[in-house]
């Protein structure tokens, strides 16, 4: 078995672990430990995963359609990859709004934001709400935190809100 085959097998093993984990109630308290804090990010938070494997926590990596070093070229591409990642994890994702109410304890909302510089997509970020009121975020190397002033958070980070989504486990 060569290195590429071994890496592919490991990635498939991690995906199986993620699929199981994202269908359970999230254990976000794990983010408090250094190992979990350093190997997770806003995307792991958006899918509801705490498993420490940072290489998969990039839009398009879970479905295997976007190489790690490749830049994103459009908002449409990011949305398509987002839906493919969630489909790979057997999570139902649909467009929503900030105001739309959750209908079940197995649902939550995410907000996808982008940072664009000179018409190039530089980065993405996710916020998450599990209860229709409180929004949280998770940065790599940091613990999860509650958003106090939603508008100011986006303004100071130069984040452009792209879409709200409702997710069902």
């Amino acid at each position: 078995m060569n290195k590429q085959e071994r890496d592919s097998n490991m990635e498939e093993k991690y995906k199986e672990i993620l699929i199981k984990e994202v269908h359970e109630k999230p254990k976000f308290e794990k983010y408090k430990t250094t190992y979990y804090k350093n190997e997770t990010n806003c995307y792991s938070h958006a899918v509801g995963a705490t498993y420490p494997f940072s290489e998969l926590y990039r839009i398009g990596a879970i479905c295997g359609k976007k190489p790690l070093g490749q830049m994103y070229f459009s908002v449409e591409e990011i949305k398509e990859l987002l839906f493919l990642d969630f489909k790979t994890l057997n999570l139902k994702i649909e467009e929503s709004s900030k105001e739309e109410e959750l209908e079940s304890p197995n649902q939550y909302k995410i907000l996808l934001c982008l940072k664009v510089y000179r018409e190039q997509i530089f980065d993405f970020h996710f916020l998450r709400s599990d209860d229709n009121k409180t929004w949280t975020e998770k940065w790599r190397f940091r613990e999860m935190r509650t958003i106090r002033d939603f508008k100011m958070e986006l303004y100071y980070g130069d984040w452009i809100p792209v879409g709200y989504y409702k997710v069902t486990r």
Side-chain angles (χ1 to χ4, degrees), residues 35-154:
Y35 183 54
Y36 287 86
K37 183 171 39 179
N38 292 350
E39 292 296 316
T40 55
N41 61 13
C42 66
Y43 197 41
S44 62
H45 189 59
V47 299
T50 57
Y51 192 79
F53 190 61
S54 60
E55 288 83 6
L56 281 178
Y57 300 135
R58 182 175 189 273
I59 300 171
I62 294 170
C63 67
K65 302 284 185 191
K66 192 70 172 176
L68 282 176
Q70 194 177 78
M71 298 289 289
Y72 298 105
F73 60 86
S74 72
V75 173
E76 291 74 26
E77 177 201 28
I78 288 177
K79 287 181 179 180
E80 181 180 325
L81 292 169
L82 177 70
F83 275 71
L84 287 171
D85 280 350
F86 277 69
K87 181 179 180 181
T88 300
L89 295 171
N90 300 323
L91 294 169
K92 180 182 175 188
I93 182 171
E94 55 192 307
E95 291 192 24
S96 184
S97 68
K98 185 178 180 188
E99 296 78 22
E100 183 177 1
E101 294 288 320
L102 299 173
E103 301 154 0
S104 151
N106 287 329
Q107 291 181 326
Y108 61 94
K109 286 190 283 191
I110 58 174
L111 169 61
L112 167 62
C113 302
L114 297 178
K115 192 170 275 197
V116 179
Y117 179 70
R118 294 187 179 173
E119 298 182 21
Q120 186 172 22
I121 297 168
F122 178 69
D123 200 2
F124 62 82
H125 189 58
F126 286 92
L127 305 179
R128 176 182 171 127
S129 177
D130 288 281
D131 64 4
N132 285 317
K133 297 174 225 140
T134 308
W135 287 85
T136 57
E137 70 178 351
K138 164 71 175 87
W139 294 91
R140 190 163 181 203
F141 304 115
R142 296 185 186 162
E143 292 180 30
M144 181 181 83
R145 74 182 190 104
T146 300
I147 304 299
R148 302 272 181 240
D149 186 342
F150 198 77
K151 289 180 183 176
M152 294 308 286
E153 289 293 329
L154 297 176

Side-chain angles (χ1 to χ4, degrees), residues 3-54:
K3 181 182 177 346
Q4 186 177 10
E5 290 171 329
R6 188 178 66 244
D7 288 350
S8 178
N9 288 341
M10 286 297 283
E11 208 167 279
E12 288 305 313
K13 176 186 169 194
Y14 289 128
K15 283 180 191 177
E16 289 175 24
I17 292 168
L18 283 182
I19 289 169
K20 182 177 184 282
E21 184 181 31
V22 299
H23 287 276
E24 299 171 352
K25 185 172 173 156
K27 297 175 180 80
F28 293 136
E29 62 275 3
K30 288 182 178 180
Y31 289 151
K32 293 181 181 184
T33 66
T34 302
Y35 183 54
Y36 287 86
K37 183 171 39 179
N38 292 350
E39 292 296 316
T40 55
N41 61 13
C42 66
Y43 197 41
S44 62
H45 189 59
V47 299
T50 57
Y51 192 79
F53 190 61
S54 60

